[in-house]
Amino acid sequence: MDHSLFSKPRDLFLDIVNPRDYVQIDSVSHMYQNLKASVQKPLKMILLYGKPGTGKSMLLHKLHHDLSKHQKVFMIDIPIIDEGDFLRVLAQKIYGYVNREAITLTDFLELSTAVNYPQSPIVLLDEAQLYSALLMEKIRLISDARALKFVITLHKTEDEDIIAKEHFQTRIWESIELQNASCEELKIYIQKKLLKANCFDVANMFNEKNIKLISKLTKGNYRETNKLLFSLFSLYTWYEKNTPSKIKYNALKPKYIEMAGIQTGLLRD
Amino acid sequence: MIDIHLLERRWIKYKIKRLIPYVVAILGIGAGLITLLYSVNQNDVTPPPPIKQEIPLVKITPKPDIAEEVIAIVPPPTLQQPRAVAAPIAVARPTPAETSVAWKPKALPSPKENIPVPLSIPKNTPLVAVSATFSTPVVVPPNSQNKPISIKQNSTTFDIHEIEDRFKNNSNPHLGLYIARYHYDNGNYSEAYNYALKTNAINNTLEESWLIFAKSLVKLGRTEQAKKTLQLYISQSNSEGAKSLLNNLTKEDEK
């Protein structure tokens, strides 16, 4: 049994997307309310995009968690690249149609008309940039037929502006862009996450200087922040066990933050 | 599992790498400053304060009431000798016309003739300058050419401390006189007194130095001492300037 003060905070920052770990930050909360409102509108497709690590997947999971209580929602967080498999899985999960064979688009649309839901079922697609253009075109056709409503997330990278592609340009009716966290938001994120897990002592160790350094290293990226803090608390766990005299409990040592940065590849030695 | 020791080494390496640009920048700035200071110093040294020195024509006259042995070795009264003075810095040479008219260089008295003439000092006079001995015959500038040695400062950016340093190094009496005059003009009478004293110790034939010395004493409230000094100097040099100053002091006392 690990009794370290830092083992619990360490595990909090494991890079796992869990809607129960969702931390409410003003800007993200605003985005989420917009997203929820958009889902209620008679839109066909809603696009959620942003740089990697801006919290798209978390928001999608949170949406799934919240909406699934009231209506039919299906989330595909690992892309199903094969078209036949994609439609078959959708038919099974949304309409309960079990078939071992791959089904065609026509079959799927016929199935959708046969089953009526009071509200259009919602399909949440994470990492939609991995789908082929052909499959995206079929998704568009399904949404045009109002068989399903899609909320998709996309990575917005510097190299390729996927949103500029035709099928997104013409069909997306609402798009929401997520940004990296500011220094203040990152502070709230870390503090809230720690306080939520009753790690008060550790939460008190973060001062402004520490937060600035973390923000500088991670550039406000939530995923990088999680990785960095996981590594940081792993270091603290080790020091607490082996050389506790080196730990000051009133503030985090910038040295250890930098070491964690080196460990996670955020800093180059 | 984290290898903490390896990570610490990597962190040290990272810190060193990160510090290198700062160290280089600091060294660069330091080197730049040193170069700048050096060049500024060079500039200060290269153009010395342009001091124009006029070389006066001096007349060596025997002192009527001087001690017998002095009279014996002093050149005849009619003897006129130009006194070449070593200038510490740039010297404005006389024009060819002046040289041809006024300058008739003659051999200076041989070193053997330069018998020191001790000044008799009153016992209550605490001056060092007074105890200095005259190593050359008393030189009295002729009245018609009574031009005191003057050093004209052309630059406004000159630094008196630099000249004081130079005076310390080369003990040039003309520099000493210049500094004494500077301090006297600026109301710094104790410094004027000191430099005039030093100048007199080096060369006791500079009338102006004696006058500044005496005037500084007056300004410092030691009028009696100034009078005695002037009397001594007059007895050695028959200086008109010294006489005039002494008369003025006496008149003021009578008032």
Side-chain angles (χ1 to χ4, degrees):
Chain A
M1 184 71 183
D2 195 349
H3 295 291
S4 168
L5 177 69
F6 301 100
S7 56
K8 192 176 176 185
R10 178 195 62 197
D11 297 338
L12 276 178
F13 289 97
L14 271 170
D15 193 24
I16 298 170
V17 180
N18 187 341
R20 279 174 296 183
D21 296 337
Y22 173 79
V23 177
Q24 196 163 330
I25 301 166
D26 287 355
S27 62
V28 179
S29 179
H30 179 68
M31 295 279 182
Y32 182 67
Q33 294 307 322
N34 281 349
L35 182 62
K36 269 181 88 173
S38 298
V39 167
Q40 302 309 319
K41 291 177 194 171
L43 302 172
K44 297 171 187 173
M45 286 173 79
I46 297 159
L47 176 65
L48 193 61
Y49 69 100
K51 289 177 183 172
T54 47
K56 296 183 296 292
S57 297
M58 174 59 90
L59 220 55
L60 209 62
H61 277 82
K62 171 77 176 159
L63 190 68
H64 178 251
H65 180 262
D66 291 352
L67 293 182
S68 57
K69 296 167 191 168
H70 313 291
Q71 66 186 106
K72 192 77 181 173
V73 181
F74 176 57
M75 178 159 176
I76 303 176
D77 48 359
I78 299 168
I80 303 167
I81 307 298
D82 183 78
E83 180 193 329
D85 282 347
F86 180 79
L87 294 176
R88 184 175 58 79
V89 171
L90 275 189
Q92 185 183 342
K93 296 289 180 184
I94 305 281
Y95 305 114
Y97 176 75
V98 181
N99 191 350
R100 288 184 181 176
E101 301 296 320
I103 61 170
T104 62
L105 179 64
T106 313
D107 294 338
F108 184 83
L109 291 175
E110 281 175 5
L111 192 62
S112 68
T113 51
V115 183
N116 277 325
Y117 282 106
Q119 285 181 302
S120 292
I122 299 171
V123 179
L124 309 176
L125 299 182
D126 202 4
E127 309 281 1
Q129 75 279 358
L130 297 175
Y131 290 96
S132 66
L134 190 65
L135 185 52
M136 283 306 299
E137 192 56 25
K138 289 194 170 163
I139 291 169
R140 179 186 71 78
L141 288 170
I142 294 168
S143 65
D144 276 354
R146 297 191 182 273
L148 297 172
K149 193 180 278 185
F150 286 91
V151 177
I152 64 173
T153 69
L154 279 176
H155 280 339
K156 185 189 178 188
T157 59
E158 303 292 336
D159 302 330
E160 188 185 18
D161 192 358
I162 296 168
I163 306 150
K165 286 186 178 174
E166 194 182 351
H167 50 258
F168 290 117
Q169 279 290 317
T170 53
R171 303 297 163 192
I172 301 300
W173 285 11
E174 182 133 346
S175 61
I176 297 166
E177 182 176 7
L178 291 178
Q179 305 280 353
N180 283 339
S182 67
C183 192
E184 194 57 36
E185 286 173 337
L186 208 62
K187 180 185 174 185
I188 294 166
Y189 171 74
I190 294 167
Q191 297 280 7
K192 276 196 170 181
K193 203 156 184 171
L194 289 167
L195 294 176
K196 207 172 171 182
N198 296 328
C199 300
F200 303 108
D201 295 334
V202 178
N204 285 334
M205 288 172 73
F206 284 82
N207 59 29
E208 292 295 327
K209 203 177 163 186
N210 298 146
I211 296 289
K212 276 183 186 171
L213 180 56
I214 291 167
S215 179
K216 188 182 163 191
L217 293 177
T218 62
K219 297 182 176 67
N221 186 303
Y222 291 105
R223 185 173 295 140
E224 300 294 359
T225 303
N226 287 343
K227 278 165 65 181
L228 181 77
L229 292 180
F230 179 82
S231 177
L232 176 69
F233 291 125
S234 300
L235 289 175
Y236 265 96
T237 308
W238 187 93
Y239 280 114
E240 192 183 35
K241 188 179 175 185
N242 297 286
T243 53
S245 61
K246 285 189 175 178
I247 296 178
K248 287 181 181 174
Y249 291 92
N250 56 348
L252 293 172
K253 265 190 176 181
K255 176 188 171 180
Y256 296 157
I257 298 173
E258 286 171 345
M259 281 171 68
I262 292 168
Q263 169 77 9
T264 49
L266 294 171
L267 281 178
R268 288 188 178 181
D269 57 334
Chain B
M1 185 66 188
I2 299 172
D3 185 346
I4 294 288
H5 301 297
L6 176 68
L7 198 56
E8 282 188 333
R9 281 199 295 276
R10 287 176 68 189
W11 179 79
I12 290 167
K13 200 174 152 189
Y14 158 77
K15 289 304 268 189
I16 291 168
K17 262 190 181 177
R18 208 172 153 224
L19 282 175
I20 285 171
Y22 295 104
V23 172
V24 169
I26 288 166
L27 287 176
I29 291 166
L33 280 175
I34 290 166
T35 312
L36 190 69
L37 285 173
Y38 182 75
S39 63
V40 167
N41 284 341
Q42 285 288 92
N43 289 340
D44 286 350
V45 169
T46 311
I51 297 170
K52 188 178 176 183
Q53 183 173 335
E54 293 171 7
I55 301 170
L57 295 176
V58 293
K59 181 182 173 185
I60 299 173
T61 52
K63 180 73 183 66
D65 54 347
I66 205 163
E68 277 188 20
E69 69 263 25
V70 176
I71 293 167
I73 55 99
V74 167
T78 53
L79 179 64
Q80 285 191 350
Q81 286 193 352
R83 184 171 175 79
V85 180
I89 41 178
V91 175
R93 296 184 182 282
T95 59
E98 284 172 349
T99 313
S100 62
V101 173
W103 269 70
K104 287 187 178 177
K106 288 184 180 180
L108 285 168
S110 66
K112 284 177 187 175
E113 292 173 334
N114 291 337
I115 298 166
V117 180
L119 269 171
S120 58
I121 309 158
K123 286 181 181 175
N124 57 351
T125 306
L127 296 174
V128 178
V130 176
S131 64
T133 56
F134 286 97
S135 59
T136 54
V138 176
V139 176
V140 180
N143 289 338
S144 59
Q145 298 178 357
N146 191 11
K147 293 178 183 174
I149 293 170
S150 64
I151 301 171
K152 290 180 182 174
Q153 178 64 47
N154 292 336
S155 169
T156 54
T157 57
F158 107 103
D159 184 4
I160 189 67
H161 299 299
E162 192 186 313
I163 298 186
E164 286 175 358
D165 289 342
R166 286 173 55 196
F167 176 66
K168 276 180 196 169
N169 290 333
N170 62 18
S171 298
N172 188 312
H174 299 283
L175 274 184
L177 173 57
Y178 177 81
I179 297 163
R181 189 195 301 135
Y182 174 86
H183 284 306
Y184 185 84
D185 291 343
N186 285 285
N188 195 356
Y189 301 116
S190 59
E191 282 298 301
Y193 164 87
N194 283 333
Y195 276 96
L197 184 66
K198 288 174 187 173
T199 305
N200 292 341
I202 297 164
N203 185 346
N204 58 10
T205 63
L206 299 174
E207 182 193 49
E208 193 189 352
S209 178
W210 284 102
L211 295 180
I212 288 172
F213 180 77
K215 286 194 282 185
S216 298
L217 278 173
V218 173
K219 292 286 185 185
L220 292 168
R222 293 151 71 178
T223 312
E224 283 309 308
Q225 203 174 329
K227 281 183 193 174
K228 284 174 186 172
T229 307
L230 285 171
Q231 282 163 359
L232 276 169
Y233 179 63
I234 291 162
S235 69
Q236 299 288 332
S237 64
N238 200 24
S239 160
E240 290 298 323
K243 281 179 187 172
S244 171
L245 181 59
L246 183 60
N247 285 339
N248 287 343
L249 290 176
T250 312
K251 281 177 188 173
E252 277 180 17
D253 278 357
E254 284 170 3
K255 285 177 187 175

